Amino acid sequence: MNKLFALLGLFLFVCTLASCGENGAEKSAPAPEAEKPGGLIVVGFSQVGAESTWRMANTKSMKDTFTEKKGYKLIIRDAQQKQERQVAAIRDFIRQRVNFIVLAPVTEHGWDEVLQEAASASIPVIIMDRMIQIRDEALFVSWVGSDFRKEGDVAVAWMGKTFTGKKDLKIAHMQGTIGSSAQIGRSEGLREGVAGNAGWTIVLSASGEFTQVNGKEVMERFLSERRDIDVLYCENDNMAFGAIQALHEANVPYGAQGGVQIISFDATRAGLEQTLARNISFNVECNPLHGPRVEKIIRQLQSGQIPAKVEHVDERAFDAATISKEEILSRAY
Ligand code: GYE
């Protein structure tokens, strides 16, 4: 009986989804019942890639949540940081007539067409992690992720406190994947901080694509251009690890020894180890454990409820004085 109501709820929801799109969003008949091997709910998950510790923890959280034991079949497609691959994966999910699509988008733009296709097939789409910019917001059900702009603001507030009175602050800016929400929000925070502080200057800027390998390479490039860097504003932990390797190899002081002060984002366990060791001076948390949050949305949809359109995750920030070894060890990512 419950199941019947759940299915009815979902049916009503997808009808709403299909009918409220503009720009030619056709009012289509609901897709035939998806193939549900053994009665499982099929979830197609288009993941960005495996570029960082954060990302691996995010994939694991999805795998741990959407298990067969709990009644799900999870199909994961790794896009290797390429949007074309994500579009192809979504089309494939539509062809397979999955019950739900979960998209962790590599960048914000370029989703109108393919999400229109998903809506026309009456497949609800949940956006996780990074956000999308889309003409018609009815093309996705909900988004769950971090407030990246706020993360940037938290880092900048720390800089303001730490460097008060410093007349000339030279900042090297290592950005994440250009066009991704995590990069956009964190970079905007810094840009605004620089605009509001007369003595602050971004002297170097480049993308390290959120990976350790590129982080090292970009830092080497930065150091070949100049060494008088006060702050490295680095948009994730893995790039910070690469940057630390480069600084170490070039014999340039950083962290507690004085020299370059590194700000990082994610606060993964390894990132917090580096923070406790005072190699990273300040680390802003970004929580990747979205699996249960996405499942909650799916459950709501199944029981005919309309989930919140946007859900932000509460996050903290750390310096060496505000973390303990126990806290690091108990961290799930
Ligand atoms: O900060 C980074 C990852 O989108 C929040 O992507 C995510 C970011 C995270 O590669 O480590």
mmCIF file of all heavy atoms in Angstrom, residues 10-30 115-116 118-123 136-140 306:
data_model
loop_
_atom_site.group_PDB
_atom_site.id
_atom_site.type_symbol
_atom_site.label_atom_id
_atom_site.label_comp_id
_atom_site.label_asym_id
_atom_site.label_seq_id
_atom_site.Cartn_x
_atom_site.Cartn_y
_atom_site.Cartn_z
ATOM 1 N N LEU A 10 5.450 9.934 -6.778
ATOM 2 C CA LEU A 10 6.521 10.174 -7.749
ATOM 3 C C LEU A 10 5.927 10.510 -9.116
ATOM 4 O O LEU A 10 6.362 11.425 -9.801
ATOM 5 C CB LEU A 10 7.425 8.938 -7.837
ATOM 6 C CG LEU A 10 8.575 9.058 -8.823
ATOM 7 C CD1 LEU A 10 9.496 10.208 -8.395
ATOM 8 C CD2 LEU A 10 9.370 7.769 -8.899
ATOM 9 N N PHE A 11 4.888 9.770 -9.469
ATOM 10 C CA PHE A 11 4.238 9.999 -10.751
ATOM 11 C C PHE A 11 3.736 11.444 -10.823
ATOM 12 O O PHE A 11 3.986 12.164 -11.790
ATOM 13 C CB PHE A 11 3.097 8.989 -10.902
ATOM 14 C CG PHE A 11 2.234 9.253 -12.106
ATOM 15 C CD1 PHE A 11 2.684 8.991 -13.385
ATOM 16 C CD2 PHE A 11 0.960 9.776 -11.937
ATOM 17 C CE1 PHE A 11 1.888 9.247 -14.484
ATOM 18 C CE2 PHE A 11 0.165 10.037 -13.036
ATOM 19 C CZ PHE A 11 0.625 9.779 -14.317
ATOM 20 N N LEU A 12 3.058 11.893 -9.726
ATOM 21 C CA LEU A 12 2.538 13.264 -9.712
ATOM 22 C C LEU A 12 3.682 14.260 -9.811
ATOM 23 O O LEU A 12 3.623 15.246 -10.529
ATOM 24 C CB LEU A 12 1.761 13.520 -8.416
ATOM 25 C CG LEU A 12 0.401 12.825 -8.360
ATOM 26 C CD1 LEU A 12 -0.232 13.017 -6.993
ATOM 27 C CD2 LEU A 12 -0.516 13.353 -9.462
ATOM 28 N N PHE A 13 4.787 13.930 -9.091
ATOM 29 C CA PHE A 13 5.911 14.857 -9.092
ATOM 30 C C PHE A 13 6.532 15.006 -10.485
ATOM 31 O O PHE A 13 6.762 16.092 -10.961
ATOM 32 C CB PHE A 13 6.977 14.397 -8.093
ATOM 33 C CG PHE A 13 8.162 15.298 -8.159
ATOM 34 C CD1 PHE A 13 8.100 16.528 -7.506
ATOM 35 C CD2 PHE A 13 9.266 14.973 -8.899
ATOM 36 C CE1 PHE A 13 9.143 17.409 -7.605
ATOM 37 C CE2 PHE A 13 10.301 15.856 -9.002
ATOM 38 C CZ PHE A 13 10.241 17.075 -8.342
ATOM 39 N N VAL A 14 6.770 13.865 -11.132
ATOM 40 C CA VAL A 14 7.421 13.962 -12.438
ATOM 41 C C VAL A 14 6.501 14.632 -13.452
ATOM 42 O O VAL A 14 6.972 15.329 -14.351
ATOM 43 C CB VAL A 14 7.954 12.604 -12.975
ATOM 44 C CG1 VAL A 14 9.113 12.115 -12.147
ATOM 45 C CG2 VAL A 14 6.885 11.551 -13.047
ATOM 46 N N CYS A 15 5.197 14.476 -13.262
ATOM 47 C CA CYS A 15 4.262 15.175 -14.148
ATOM 48 C C CYS A 15 4.432 16.671 -13.966
ATOM 49 O O CYS A 15 4.492 17.426 -14.935
ATOM 50 C CB CYS A 15 2.824 14.792 -13.850
ATOM 51 S SG CYS A 15 2.440 13.151 -14.445
ATOM 52 N N THR A 16 4.544 17.108 -12.696
ATOM 53 C CA THR A 16 4.730 18.530 -12.417
ATOM 54 C C THR A 16 6.015 18.987 -13.079
ATOM 55 O O THR A 16 6.090 20.014 -13.741
ATOM 56 C CB THR A 16 4.872 18.773 -10.893
ATOM 57 O OG1 THR A 16 3.917 17.972 -10.242
ATOM 58 C CG2 THR A 16 4.709 20.228 -10.533
ATOM 59 N N LEU A 17 7.069 18.185 -12.875
ATOM 60 C CA LEU A 17 8.380 18.537 -13.433
ATOM 61 C C LEU A 17 8.288 18.718 -14.941
ATOM 62 O O LEU A 17 8.764 19.690 -15.505
ATOM 63 C CB LEU A 17 9.373 17.420 -13.095
ATOM 64 C CG LEU A 17 10.798 17.651 -13.541
ATOM 65 C CD1 LEU A 17 11.506 18.533 -12.514
ATOM 66 C CD2 LEU A 17 11.545 16.341 -13.690
ATOM 67 N N ALA A 18 7.628 17.777 -15.594
ATOM 68 C CA ALA A 18 7.560 17.836 -17.053
ATOM 69 C C ALA A 18 6.703 18.993 -17.530
ATOM 70 O O ALA A 18 6.928 19.544 -18.589
ATOM 71 C CB ALA A 18 7.009 16.516 -17.591
ATOM 72 N N SER A 19 5.731 19.424 -16.722
ATOM 73 C CA SER A 19 4.829 20.450 -17.220
ATOM 74 C C SER A 19 5.277 21.860 -16.879
ATOM 75 O O SER A 19 4.844 22.799 -17.493
ATOM 76 C CB SER A 19 3.428 20.217 -16.684
ATOM 77 O OG SER A 19 3.476 20.242 -15.280
ATOM 78 N N CYS A 20 6.197 22.028 -15.871
ATOM 79 C CA CYS A 20 6.496 23.412 -15.543
ATOM 80 C C CYS A 20 7.706 23.967 -16.282
ATOM 81 O O CYS A 20 8.041 25.121 -16.121
ATOM 82 C CB CYS A 20 6.600 23.663 -14.039
ATOM 83 S SG CYS A 20 7.380 22.365 -13.147
ATOM 84 N N GLY A 21 8.363 23.200 -17.099
ATOM 85 C CA GLY A 21 9.492 23.738 -17.866
ATOM 86 C C GLY A 21 9.008 24.710 -18.914
ATOM 87 O O GLY A 21 7.930 24.569 -19.462
ATOM 88 N N GLU A 22 9.850 25.747 -19.188
ATOM 89 C CA GLU A 22 9.474 26.635 -20.276
ATOM 90 C C GLU A 22 10.326 26.288 -21.492
ATOM 91 O O GLU A 22 10.985 25.255 -21.524
ATOM 92 C CB GLU A 22 9.667 28.089 -19.852
ATOM 93 C CG GLU A 22 11.009 28.305 -19.204
ATOM 94 C CD GLU A 22 11.182 29.709 -18.688
ATOM 95 O OE1 GLU A 22 10.240 30.265 -18.106
ATOM 96 O OE2 GLU A 22 12.276 30.237 -18.896
ATOM 97 N N ASN A 23 10.350 27.183 -22.469
ATOM 98 C CA ASN A 23 11.151 26.963 -23.671
ATOM 99 C C ASN A 23 10.938 25.573 -24.274
ATOM 100 O O ASN A 23 11.862 24.798 -24.452
ATOM 101 C CB ASN A 23 12.637 27.128 -23.378
ATOM 102 C CG ASN A 23 12.914 28.492 -22.809
ATOM 103 O OD1 ASN A 23 12.373 29.471 -23.296
ATOM 104 N ND2 ASN A 23 13.708 28.552 -21.772
ATOM 105 N N GLY A 24 9.701 25.285 -24.528
ATOM 106 C CA GLY A 24 9.440 24.051 -25.252
ATOM 107 C C GLY A 24 9.458 22.807 -24.387
ATOM 108 O O GLY A 24 9.488 21.709 -24.911
ATOM 109 N N ALA A 25 9.487 22.981 -23.053
ATOM 110 C CA ALA A 25 9.428 21.784 -22.217
ATOM 111 C C ALA A 25 8.073 21.134 -22.452
ATOM 112 O O ALA A 25 7.056 21.662 -22.058
ATOM 113 C CB ALA A 25 9.564 22.158 -20.746
ATOM 114 N N GLU A 26 8.077 20.021 -23.179
ATOM 115 C CA GLU A 26 6.779 19.437 -23.523
ATOM 116 C C GLU A 26 6.168 18.750 -22.323
ATOM 117 O O GLU A 26 6.857 18.226 -21.479
ATOM 118 C CB GLU A 26 6.943 18.354 -24.600
ATOM 119 C CG GLU A 26 7.470 18.883 -25.875
ATOM 120 C CD GLU A 26 8.504 17.928 -26.434
ATOM 121 O OE1 GLU A 26 8.320 16.703 -26.330
ATOM 122 O OE2 GLU A 26 9.494 18.445 -26.953
ATOM 123 N N LYS A 27 4.881 18.747 -22.354
ATOM 124 C CA LYS A 27 4.176 18.003 -21.323
ATOM 125 C C LYS A 27 4.107 16.576 -21.843
ATOM 126 O O LYS A 27 3.309 16.245 -22.698
ATOM 127 C CB LYS A 27 2.783 18.599 -21.185
ATOM 128 C CG LYS A 27 2.087 18.139 -19.965
ATOM 129 C CD LYS A 27 0.889 19.037 -19.724
ATOM 130 C CE LYS A 27 0.210 18.608 -18.452
ATOM 131 N NZ LYS A 27 -0.619 19.619 -17.897
ATOM 132 N N SER A 28 5.034 15.739 -21.367
ATOM 133 C CA SER A 28 5.074 14.406 -21.948
ATOM 134 C C SER A 28 4.461 13.392 -20.999
ATOM 135 O O SER A 28 4.383 13.618 -19.804
ATOM 136 C CB SER A 28 6.522 14.021 -22.224
ATOM 137 O OG SER A 28 7.219 14.042 -21.016
ATOM 138 N N ALA A 29 4.070 12.290 -21.571
ATOM 139 C CA ALA A 29 3.550 11.208 -20.731
ATOM 140 C C ALA A 29 4.701 10.674 -19.900
ATOM 141 O O ALA A 29 5.839 10.720 -20.325
ATOM 142 C CB ALA A 29 3.004 10.116 -21.632
ATOM 143 N N PRO A 30 4.412 10.202 -18.681
ATOM 144 C CA PRO A 30 5.513 9.673 -17.876
ATOM 145 C C PRO A 30 6.172 8.488 -18.574
ATOM 146 O O PRO A 30 5.509 7.736 -19.276
ATOM 147 C CB PRO A 30 4.830 9.239 -16.576
ATOM 148 C CG PRO A 30 3.386 9.160 -16.877
ATOM 149 C CD PRO A 30 3.115 10.096 -18.014
ATOM 150 N N LEU A 115 19.440 18.468 -19.698
ATOM 151 C CA LEU A 115 18.471 18.361 -18.593
ATOM 152 C C LEU A 115 17.039 18.497 -19.101
ATOM 153 O O LEU A 115 16.102 17.957 -18.524
ATOM 154 C CB LEU A 115 18.772 19.372 -17.489
ATOM 155 C CG LEU A 115 20.066 19.115 -16.704
ATOM 156 C CD1 LEU A 115 20.035 19.828 -15.355
ATOM 157 C CD2 LEU A 115 20.347 17.630 -16.468
ATOM 158 N N GLN A 116 16.904 19.213 -20.221
ATOM 159 C CA GLN A 116 15.594 19.258 -20.878
ATOM 160 C C GLN A 116 15.209 17.860 -21.356
ATOM 161 O O GLN A 116 14.062 17.430 -21.232
ATOM 162 C CB GLN A 116 15.666 20.230 -22.056
ATOM 163 C CG GLN A 116 14.353 20.411 -22.790
ATOM 164 C CD GLN A 116 13.277 20.966 -21.866
ATOM 165 O OE1 GLN A 116 13.368 22.103 -21.428
ATOM 166 N NE2 GLN A 116 12.279 20.160 -21.562
ATOM 167 N N ALA A 118 16.187 15.051 -20.030
ATOM 168 C CA ALA A 118 15.823 14.242 -18.854
ATOM 169 C C ALA A 118 14.405 14.579 -18.405
ATOM 170 O O ALA A 118 13.614 13.683 -18.080
ATOM 171 C CB ALA A 118 16.814 14.482 -17.717
ATOM 172 N N ALA A 119 14.065 15.875 -18.419
ATOM 173 C CA ALA A 119 12.710 16.281 -18.014
ATOM 174 C C ALA A 119 11.674 15.713 -18.974
ATOM 175 O O ALA A 119 10.615 15.245 -18.556
ATOM 176 C CB ALA A 119 12.613 17.802 -17.960
ATOM 177 N N SER A 120 12.000 15.741 -20.275
ATOM 178 C CA SER A 120 11.049 15.197 -21.257
ATOM 179 C C SER A 120 10.838 13.707 -21.046
ATOM 180 O O SER A 120 9.786 13.173 -21.376
ATOM 181 C CB SER A 120 11.544 15.452 -22.684
ATOM 182 O OG SER A 120 11.654 16.835 -22.878
ATOM 183 N N ALA A 121 11.857 13.035 -20.499
ATOM 184 C CA ALA A 121 11.712 11.604 -20.208
ATOM 185 C C ALA A 121 11.154 11.397 -18.795
ATOM 186 O O ALA A 121 11.110 10.271 -18.302
ATOM 187 C CB ALA A 121 13.057 10.909 -20.352
ATOM 188 N N SER A 122 10.788 12.514 -18.146
ATOM 189 C CA SER A 122 10.215 12.475 -16.783
ATOM 190 C C SER A 122 11.135 11.818 -15.760
ATOM 191 O O SER A 122 10.682 11.120 -14.866
ATOM 192 C CB SER A 122 8.862 11.758 -16.778
ATOM 193 O OG SER A 122 7.973 12.430 -17.616
ATOM 194 N N ILE A 123 12.435 12.048 -15.903
ATOM 195 C CA ILE A 123 13.376 11.511 -14.912
ATOM 196 C C ILE A 123 13.848 12.663 -14.016
ATOM 197 O O ILE A 123 14.467 13.617 -14.499
ATOM 198 C CB ILE A 123 14.590 10.834 -15.590
ATOM 199 C CG1 ILE A 123 14.114 9.689 -16.484
ATOM 200 C CG2 ILE A 123 15.585 10.330 -14.529
ATOM 201 C CD1 ILE A 123 15.190 9.039 -17.306
ATOM 202 N N ASP A 136 15.979 27.324 -16.979
ATOM 203 C CA ASP A 136 14.732 26.935 -16.337
ATOM 204 C C ASP A 136 15.035 26.071 -15.106
ATOM 205 O O ASP A 136 15.403 24.907 -15.231
ATOM 206 C CB ASP A 136 13.908 26.146 -17.359
ATOM 207 C CG ASP A 136 12.587 25.679 -16.782
ATOM 208 O OD1 ASP A 136 12.313 25.997 -15.601
ATOM 209 O OD2 ASP A 136 11.848 24.993 -17.505
ATOM 210 N N GLU A 137 14.868 26.665 -13.949
ATOM 211 C CA GLU A 137 15.234 25.966 -12.707
ATOM 212 C C GLU A 137 14.351 24.755 -12.411
ATOM 213 O O GLU A 137 14.669 23.948 -11.541
ATOM 214 C CB GLU A 137 15.186 26.941 -11.533
ATOM 215 C CG GLU A 137 16.197 28.054 -11.667
ATOM 216 C CD GLU A 137 17.129 28.156 -10.478
ATOM 217 O OE1 GLU A 137 16.665 27.934 -9.360
ATOM 218 O OE2 GLU A 137 18.327 28.453 -10.695
ATOM 219 N N ALA A 138 13.242 24.647 -13.159
ATOM 220 C CA ALA A 138 12.377 23.475 -12.959
ATOM 221 C C ALA A 138 13.026 22.213 -13.535
ATOM 222 O O ALA A 138 12.538 21.107 -13.309
ATOM 223 C CB ALA A 138 11.027 23.708 -13.615
ATOM 224 N N LEU A 139 14.129 22.389 -14.243
ATOM 225 C CA LEU A 139 14.771 21.218 -14.859
ATOM 226 C C LEU A 139 15.568 20.383 -13.858
ATOM 227 O O LEU A 139 16.090 19.335 -14.205
ATOM 228 C CB LEU A 139 15.670 21.646 -16.027
ATOM 229 C CG LEU A 139 14.938 22.236 -17.234
ATOM 230 C CD1 LEU A 139 15.915 22.597 -18.333
ATOM 231 C CD2 LEU A 139 13.889 21.261 -17.773
ATOM 232 N N PHE A 140 15.718 20.880 -12.648
ATOM 233 C CA PHE A 140 16.268 19.996 -11.617
ATOM 234 C C PHE A 140 15.390 20.103 -10.377
ATOM 235 O O PHE A 140 14.738 21.123 -10.149
ATOM 236 C CB PHE A 140 17.743 20.321 -11.325
ATOM 237 C CG PHE A 140 17.977 21.640 -10.636
ATOM 238 C CD1 PHE A 140 18.061 21.709 -9.253
ATOM 239 C CD2 PHE A 140 18.116 22.812 -11.363
ATOM 240 C CE1 PHE A 140 18.285 22.919 -8.611
ATOM 241 C CE2 PHE A 140 18.337 24.025 -10.733
ATOM 242 C CZ PHE A 140 18.422 24.085 -9.353
ATOM 243 N N ILE A 306 7.697 17.496 -1.716
ATOM 244 C CA ILE A 306 8.587 18.322 -2.550
ATOM 245 C C ILE A 306 9.786 18.696 -1.680
ATOM 246 O O ILE A 306 9.632 19.417 -0.695
ATOM 247 C CB ILE A 306 7.878 19.614 -3.020
ATOM 248 C CG1 ILE A 306 6.541 19.300 -3.704
ATOM 249 C CG2 ILE A 306 8.793 20.450 -3.917
ATOM 250 C CD1 ILE A 306 6.599 18.781 -5.102
#
